[in-house]
Amino acid sequence: MIEKYNSFVFDCDGVILDSNRIKTEAFRKALVDEPVALVERFVQYHKDNGGVSRYIKLQYYFKDIKKQEDYSQSLNEALVRFALIVREELIKAPTIKGVEMFLQQCLHKQIPCFVNSGGDEQELIEVFAERGMDHLFSMILGSPDSKKENLSKLFSEDRLPGPTLFWGDAYSDYLAAKAYNIDFIYVSGVSEWREGIQFCSRNKILVIENFNNELIW
């Protein structure tokens, strides 16, 4: 099914690492001193906007949900707490079933693979290096640049031999792929995209639970 593709782009959380719940709980802990009702409202916002960077999300909490006027110190403190929690947990997080074998096959076939995540770029580089997985990727990209901006960089540097396929688990992944006319597959197994299955069904987008799927090769 995918032999025609010459390069692959992967989201991280929910596609490579089983880490969506880690991020959700990290946001709760990063806002531990904030009003519970506002935090839960924010957590739903986070789930509904998968793949958006922590910088944008936490700013949205203080500016738009809490409506705090001078929030720069509060935002910075929350970002520091979030980063400390997430980095440790990402190193321990299990991988999505079958993805490591799939990436090894891509490496053997000399098909370039790229990470394009809403997670912090330097954090992701360090996490994948510590996990011994960094050699599987031609490039690891993340925030503060958006997924669309990261794709623009890859195309401008002529790093994506086409055709290209984007593996994602969030609406933001689909939008980034669509913006550059890249084919998209929805990895549904641990996704927090509430409308993902229905959306993909309506739009005739292939859905796989994980990479242990006979449709892949």
Side-chain angles (χ1 to χ4, degrees):
M1 195 248 342
I2 60 169
E3 288 86 350
K4 68 176 182 178
Y5 295 105
N6 294 320
S7 57
F8 295 118
V9 177
F10 298 78
D11 178 40
C12 177
D13 301 313
V15 176
I16 300 172
L17 301 180
D18 185 355
S19 47
N20 283 329
R21 285 173 291 180
I22 287 171
K23 295 286 181 75
T24 299
E25 290 308 308
F27 276 122
R28 282 198 178 96
K29 292 176 181 177
L31 298 170
V32 65
D33 296 324
E34 297 295 318
V36 173
L38 295 185
V39 172
E40 290 308 308
R41 181 178 158 195
F42 168 76
V43 165
Q44 191 58 59
Y45 159 80
H46 153 67
K47 291 180 178 180
D48 290 341
N49 292 273
V52 176
S53 82
R54 67 191 65 175
Y55 308 99
I56 293 173
K57 286 182 175 178
L58 285 169
Q59 182 181 50
Y60 180 85
Y61 171 77
F62 289 107
K63 182 180 179 181
D64 297 279
I65 293 180
K66 193 179 181 185
K67 301 189 185 303
Q68 184 173 326
E69 290 187 7
D70 182 10
Y71 57 82
S72 59
Q73 182 175 344
S74 299
L75 173 60
N76 288 334
E77 289 172 354
L79 285 167
V80 169
R81 285 195 294 268
F82 182 87
L84 290 172
I85 296 164
V86 163
R87 189 183 186 284
E88 181 179 348
E89 293 298 321
L90 287 181
I91 291 169
K92 300 184 294 184
T95 54
I96 297 300
K97 289 180 181 179
V99 72
E100 286 189 81
M101 182 175 292
F102 179 79
L103 288 166
Q104 291 285 0
Q105 289 173 322
C106 290
L107 185 66
H108 177 71
K109 294 173 182 286
Q110 296 185 311
I111 302 172
C113 294
F114 301 85
V115 176
N116 184 12
S117 172
D120 181 82
E121 185 172 300
Q122 187 57 42
E123 178 181 271
L124 289 169
I125 291 170
E126 293 171 3
V127 164
F128 280 118
E130 192 153 346
R131 294 181 66 109
M133 294 178 65
D134 54 327
H135 69 289
L136 298 172
F137 304 107
S138 298
M139 208 168 176
I140 297 170
L141 300 170
S143 62
D145 288 341
S146 70
K147 292 181 182 182
K148 290 181 182 179
E149 290 169 334
N150 287 332
L151 284 178
S152 176
K153 178 179 181 179
L154 291 174
F155 277 112
S156 67
E157 295 178 1
D158 201 26
R159 291 179 177 268
L160 288 175
T164 301
L165 177 65
F166 196 131
W167 307 86
D169 76 324
Y171 186 55
S172 65
D173 298 323
Y174 167 77
L175 289 178
K178 185 177 176 65
Y180 288 91
N181 200 28
I182 297 173
D183 288 349
F184 176 76
I185 289 181
Y186 174 46
V187 184
S188 67
V190 296
S191 173
E192 294 182 327
W193 183 11
R194 289 188 295 178
E195 304 299 323
I197 298 289
Q198 297 90 328
F199 178 87
C200 291
S201 177
R202 289 195 305 270
N203 291 276
K204 296 180 172 56
I205 296 167
L206 181 63
V207 178
I208 61 169
E209 185 175 352
N210 54 54
F211 288 81
N212 286 347
N213 189 305
E214 62 184 14
L215 294 175
I216 292 178
W217 290 116

